[in-house]
Amino acid sequence: QVQLVESGGGLVQAGDSLRLSCAASGRTFSSYAMGWFRQAPGKEREFVAGITWSGGSTYYANSVKGRFTISRDNAKNTVYLRLNRLKPEDTAIYYCAPVRPGTTIATINSNWGQGTQVTVSS
């Protein structure tokens, strides 16, 4: 079972950038497609970005396309999310999770990490 630890969030102004990291345990990390999700106050968790096990293919929610970039380093068991041109509506707790390849569906139910808070002021 993979363990996930997210970091890199913070309080920034609109237009700023952040890089989030997700460190995963387990020898099979490189075999997982991975995704980033976020949950804003009072809203359901939503998919943000996904990446194949090799890193060769990425895909994004329409709301972040062109502003966010997902990447991974399998040697470090880490997946990243670069957030550019941040908007107040990007404020949320950000989580990573394994996903079904090519989909927006997380393959975990209860063992989500603690997430990392991103707050964007206007």
Side-chain angles (χ1 to χ4, degrees):
Q1 200 174 34
V2 64
Q3 301 295 320
L4 305 160
V5 179
E6 300 91 347
S7 63
L11 172 62
V12 297
Q13 294 186 332
D16 285 351
S17 298
L18 283 173
R19 190 179 80 157
L20 309 184
S21 298
C22 168
S25 65
R27 294 177 296 172
T28 58
F29 170 79
S30 62
S31 66
Y32 294 126
M34 293 293 295
W36 281 95
F37 297 77
R38 66 186 182 186
Q39 187 167 20
K43 295 187 177 181
E44 293 188 353
R45 188 176 286 147
E46 64 175 359
F47 171 82
V48 174
I51 188 167
T52 54
W53 67 270
S54 66
S57 180
T58 59
Y59 50 104
Y60 301 90
N62 287 336
S63 58
V64 306
K65 197 173 296 183
R67 298 189 299 121
F68 291 7
T69 302
I70 188 171
S71 61
R72 68 190 295 163
D73 185 339
N74 287 341
K76 296 182 178 179
N77 276 16
T78 302
V79 61
Y80 304 99
L81 187 67
R82 177 72 177 181
L83 292 67
N84 291 331
R85 292 183 281 133
L86 281 160
K87 304 176 181 180
E89 52 263 44
D90 295 319
T91 295
I93 300 175
Y94 285 71
Y95 303 87
C96 65
V99 295
R100 292 181 187 175
T103 78
T104 64
I105 303 169
T107 59
I108 58 175
N109 292 318
S110 58
N111 57 325
W112 291 81
Q114 83 290 347
T116 187
Q117 176 73 51
V118 173
T119 303
V120 185
S121 63
S122 57

